Amino acid sequence: MLSRNPRQPKKKQIFTLQHGLAALTLILGLATVVAWMYAPQTISIPQMARAVEAGEVKSLVVQGDLLIGTTASGSQVRALKERGISAIDTLQFFSVSTGTLRALPLLIEESQSAGFDSHQILLTLTVLAFVGYLLARYPGWFQENGWGLPFFNTRRSKPLFLSGSRGGKDDKAKAPTVTFQDVAGTDQAKLELQEIIEFLKEPSKFAKLGARIPRGVLMAGPPGTGKTLLAKAVAGEAGVPFFSISGSEFVEMYVGVGAARVRDLFKQARKHSPAVVFVDEIDAVGRQRGASNGHGNDEREQTLNQILVEMDGFTTDTNVIVMASTNRPDILDPALLRPGRFDRKVFLDRPDVQSREAILAVHLRGKPLDPAISIAEVARLTPGFVGADLENLANEAAILAARRGLAVIGRVEFQDAMERIIAGPERQNKILSKLERDVVAYHEAGHAVVMHYLEYCDPVHKVSIVSRGMALGYTMPMPEGDKYLRRREAFEDEIVGLLGGRAAEEIIFNRVTTGASNDLERATKLARAMVTRYGFSQKLGLRTFGEEQGNAYLGSLGEARDYSEEKARVIDQEIDQILATAYQRAKTLLTEHRSKLDGLAAALLEVETIERSAFEALMA
Ligand code: ADP
Ligand code: MG
Ligand code: ZN
């Protein structure tokens, strides 16, 4: 299919601002030269007097202090007299006879502001036009020297080429030196990116089979988890140039500038293809349209549209992969995520203890450690840290050791560095206290153990105390096939599973925390649905209660009540009953299997994430 043609590659721009200014400089320059050539000859006053006396001057015009004589041949001569003396007196003084003067056609004119003649104006204009031309032709030079005019700088974006080149110069496009070896603990993501690398290395292999080439990869994950690094590493592994631009750059720009830069960036990438274009922080431009308010909207929208137009313009021989990063995949415009755009997604989670160890190993390369401390131990000490934090930690610890005059980095240096980082102002990631981590571990273990022993619950796929989004930990069931009809027992068991976290907290710590609020909300919703929608309550029978209003996406706008106060009370009682029974079952199960609960919590504190097979081994 012939897709919409990208506008730029073939069509040359015939007349630009730069060309216009060059032409203007030429024209004005010529005019100045001509004006000089035909400019009247300037002579001295005595010379003028002599010429008048000799009858060579046929007429004389006086403009202020300027005497302009016209000779017999029609050419002009001019002379400047002293201010304050009349032209007649001056000529008489230089002995022009009264008779000659009387016979001379003399014209006195209003004096024009002196020194403002045509060729000086022309010369000034020429210089101005030339300066304008230089600005348009070499914006970079002026910018670098602090002379930049913003609107002249729209033509060339400054993509960052890595590997030390300064960027902007087309011939310097080189592949980054970063490779997958520098990105640790992200095996899943690397696996998913393998195909992209193969394609970049050998596009023809895919083209021969008519495969539709992947265009966009969206990398989502919390700040500092290595999204930018991984994108560079993809280009590095494939040995192709890396063009990067950040979404937040566009936000402060003039309307239309962002779109122009996007055009230019893609143009350069095509020229150097195969290549990777990286749009960092794409959420800054790719936020859902209409979701924001106020100005700046136009610019963002134009920039976003330009990115989409560029991507739609890719043909099968456009060997450019667009990678983008965001920590808010949830707010992106759906248009970005459609097939043929950013239809591949790679998620980067916060690293668990093993990944942290691998990342630390990368950043402690070449930094001698005290034999009394192992990298694994440092990894265990740093729950909640992302890659960027770990890099920072390794560096700070090394600095401290150097300042203390040590030969190796010891435990104390790591601890001190950690304190610095946790107290540092930039940290957004919450670090949990020891007790809080224990609570989270038991809470998640509670969910998992309960779910394991319930007949109608899906098997546990993964349990983790690595925080993700708003959740401090999570227990992921693996649904086995689609279910369209569920029995009452399945609902009941699901509620028991949801309450397992809270039950564990109560059993172990004999107190409860706010950590379960989302669980309680979901459990209550389920219980309410059992009673009001599915007719599972004996007391209330088969009728449904209430009509949902609003739509599923905007969130429910509430419920139109179509039942009496009395029924409302019964509904509440039934919901309470269901929840109370479920909570009791959860507590019973956990008390029965207390040793499993303790074992799982301890394992979670140790390795942080437990997959299905390891989990089942623990439960056996
Ligand atoms: P993001 O783009 O996700 O915010 P970056 O890629 O900019 O994060 O990471 C910042 C720095 O943190 C990197 O330059 C690197 O030094 C370090 N880092 C992050 N993740 C990793 C990782 N998985 N392995 C090694 N270093 C990492
Ligand atoms: Mg980044
Ligand atoms: Zn929970």
Side-chain angles (χ1 to χ4, degrees):
M1 191 190 80
L2 255 183
S3 42
R4 231 185 312 168
N5 201 23
R7 287 190 248 128
Q8 51 303 115
K10 293 281 138 56
K11 205 163 92 187
K12 283 248 168 57
Q13 272 184 304
I14 292 166
F15 193 77
T16 63
L17 182 62
Q18 179 191 324
H19 293 138
L21 286 166
L24 195 62
T25 308
L26 265 180
I27 293 167
L28 286 171
L30 269 178
T32 311
V33 170
V34 169
W36 272 113
M37 276 167 50
Y38 290 91
Q41 198 189 350
T42 302
I43 54 178
S44 68
I45 283 288
Q47 278 177 318
M48 178 67 95
R50 249 174 276 133
V52 171
E53 183 58 29
E56 283 162 14
V57 173
K58 294 296 168 210
S59 66
L60 192 65
V61 176
V62 181
Q63 278 180 1
D65 292 331
L66 190 63
L67 312 184
I68 305 166
T70 308
T71 62
S73 63
S75 66
Q76 287 192 330
V77 288
R78 42 207 278 162
L80 206 57
K81 72 174 176 58
E82 198 179 341
R83 179 157 301 173
I85 301 177
S86 82
I88 307 277
D89 288 348
T90 308
L91 290 173
Q92 272 179 334
F93 179 81
F94 286 102
S95 50
V96 176
S97 69
T98 317
T100 318
L101 274 178
R102 283 203 188 126
L104 185 70
L106 189 67
L107 189 66
I108 313 288
E109 279 183 1
E110 192 80 14
S111 82
Q112 292 179 352
S113 50
F116 209 71
D117 55 84
S118 56
H119 53 262
Q120 275 175 322
I121 297 174
L122 276 171
L123 191 65
T124 313
L125 287 177
T126 310
V127 170
L128 280 179
F130 186 61
V131 169
Y133 164 77
L134 284 179
L135 271 173
R137 179 75 179 80
Y138 305 105
W141 187 88
F142 285 87
Q143 197 117 74
E144 274 163 35
N145 291 280
W147 297 82
L149 288 181
F151 80 98
F152 275 120
N153 197 22
T154 59
R155 303 205 54 248
R156 189 161 291 265
S157 53
K158 283 197 242 155
L160 279 168
F161 294 114
L162 290 137
S163 69
S165 84
R166 283 178 65 208
K169 288 279 180 286
D170 297 0
D171 36 320
K172 280 195 188 160
K174 275 193 210 133
T177 50
V178 183
T179 64
F180 272 1
Q181 287 207 327
D182 304 295
V183 196
T186 54
D187 297 340
Q188 184 61 36
K190 285 183 195 168
L191 211 64
E192 283 163 31
L193 290 168
Q194 204 57 52
E195 186 185 310
I196 304 282
I197 293 170
E198 270 166 41
F199 164 71
L200 285 168
K201 271 186 179 159
E202 220 184 323
S204 57
K205 193 168 94 185
F206 291 76
K208 262 186 232 146
L209 293 171
R212 186 173 69 75
I213 274 73
R215 285 177 192 166
V217 183
L218 182 69
M219 308 220 293
T225 46
K227 300 181 292 295
T228 308
L229 189 68
L230 199 55
K232 272 181 213 169
V234 167
E237 285 282 325
V240 304
F242 180 76
F243 297 85
S244 119
I245 201 158
S246 171
S248 59
E249 279 171 47
F250 297 127
V251 175
E252 314 142 18
M253 282 187 186
Y254 305 84
V255 172
V257 174
R261 292 192 72 178
V262 169
R263 252 201 308 281
D264 204 53
L265 185 77
F266 276 85
K267 190 170 163 184
Q268 292 194 42
R270 279 201 195 85
K271 206 162 120 194
H272 296 289
S273 73
V276 171
V277 168
F278 180 58
V279 187
D280 210 350
E281 301 172 55
I282 197 170
D283 41 296
V285 286
R287 209 173 263 278
Q288 265 175 36
R289 279 174 273 205
S292 76
N293 41 9
H295 55 278
N297 219 344
D298 266 3
E299 172 58 9
R300 270 204 357 234
E301 223 160 87
Q302 285 192 19
T303 309
L304 176 61
N305 281 339
Q306 192 60 41
I307 294 175
L308 297 180
V309 165
E310 296 290 344
M311 291 180 79
D312 289 349
F314 284 7
T315 51
T316 35
D317 56 353
T318 313
N319 302 322
V320 174
I321 299 277
V322 188
M323 300 185 76
S325 88
T326 178
N327 47 32
R328 298 291 313 274
D330 50 317
I331 60 164
L332 288 186
D333 197 299
L336 273 171
L337 305 176
R338 285 221 305 265
R341 290 173 179 169
F342 292 99
D343 49 2
R344 309 253 168 141
K345 285 177 217 69
V346 173
F347 290 95
L348 289 174
D349 278 331
R350 278 174 215 283
D352 64 11
V353 65
Q354 278 166 347
S355 303
R356 289 202 302 272
E357 188 177 336
I359 296 170
L360 278 167
V362 168
H363 293 292
L364 288 171
R365 238 185 255 154
K367 297 189 174 79
L369 280 198
D370 184 342
I373 187 170
S374 68
I375 294 182
E377 188 183 339
V378 181
R380 272 198 301 278
L381 290 173
T382 49
F385 276 47
V386 293
D389 297 327
L390 294 168
E391 186 212 357
N392 197 2
L393 175 70
N395 192 45
E396 289 281 335
I399 290 173
L400 282 176
R403 287 225 322 248
R404 292 171 187 173
L406 303 173
V408 291
I409 309 171
R411 183 176 285 108
V412 187
E413 281 68 47
F414 279 110
Q415 276 162 355
D416 291 353
M418 213 151 13
E419 258 163 45
R420 259 196 205 185
I421 291 169
I422 292 172
E426 325 93 54
R427 279 201 58 85
Q428 309 149 312
N429 303 328
K430 208 164 152 246
I431 303 287
L432 301 180
S433 70
K434 170 83 179 74
L435 178 65
E436 282 172 320
R437 289 189 79 225
D438 287 352
V439 172
V440 174
Y442 267 103
H443 180 104
E444 295 310 327
H447 283 304
V449 169
V450 166
M451 281 154 95
H452 180 74
Y453 287 107
L454 287 167
E455 187 181 348
Y456 292 96
C457 270
D458 294 319
V460 173
H461 175 59
K462 190 173 179 182
V463 201
S464 173
I465 58 167
V466 177
S467 70
R468 186 187 254 191
M470 293 289 288
L472 296 174
Y474 53 93
T475 302
M476 234 158 53
M478 170 70 101
E480 299 197 309
D482 292 330
K483 298 196 188 88
Y484 301 102
L485 287 174
R486 299 179 70 201
R487 34 197 307 188
R488 184 190 162 128
E489 288 80 3
F491 278 91
E492 285 170 352
D493 281 6
E494 191 176 343
I495 295 175
V496 178
L498 283 169
L499 297 180
R502 173 62 162 265
E505 284 182 46
E506 197 188 323
I507 291 171
I508 305 297
F509 301 98
N510 196 21
R511 58 171 205 191
V512 291
T513 67
T514 54
S517 91
N518 181 255
D519 298 337
L520 301 185
E521 203 177 307
R522 283 166 60 198
T524 309
K525 274 212 179 105
L526 275 176
R528 173 175 291 276
M530 285 174 69
V531 177
T532 62
R533 306 243 73 81
Y534 304 123
F536 285 159
S537 157
Q538 303 251 293
K539 271 195 210 152
L540 287 162
L542 296 177
R543 66 167 285 199
T544 63
F545 297 88
E547 266 174 78
E548 286 256 13
Q549 294 190 330
N551 80 39
Y553 297 102
L554 294 173
S556 156
L557 296 175
E559 213 193 35
R561 193 196 253 204
D562 59 356
Y563 46 88
S564 66
E565 279 298 326
E566 249 163 275
K567 291 283 185 192
R569 201 166 304 121
V570 182
I571 291 173
D572 284 344
Q573 280 167 4
E574 286 288 275
I575 294 173
D576 291 349
Q577 179 63 41
I578 291 172
L579 292 176
T581 314
Y583 192 56
Q584 203 47 55
R585 280 180 66 200
K587 285 214 298 200
T588 313
L589 273 171
L590 288 176
T591 324
E592 237 171 77
H593 301 283
R594 171 72 191 254
S595 61
K596 304 281 187 218
L597 178 66
D598 289 334
L600 181 57
L604 277 173
L605 285 169
E606 176 79 9
V607 296
E608 298 177 10
T609 301
I610 293 175
E611 306 279 346
R612 181 171 178 173
S613 54
F615 173 73
E616 275 166 4
L618 268 170
M619 291 296 115

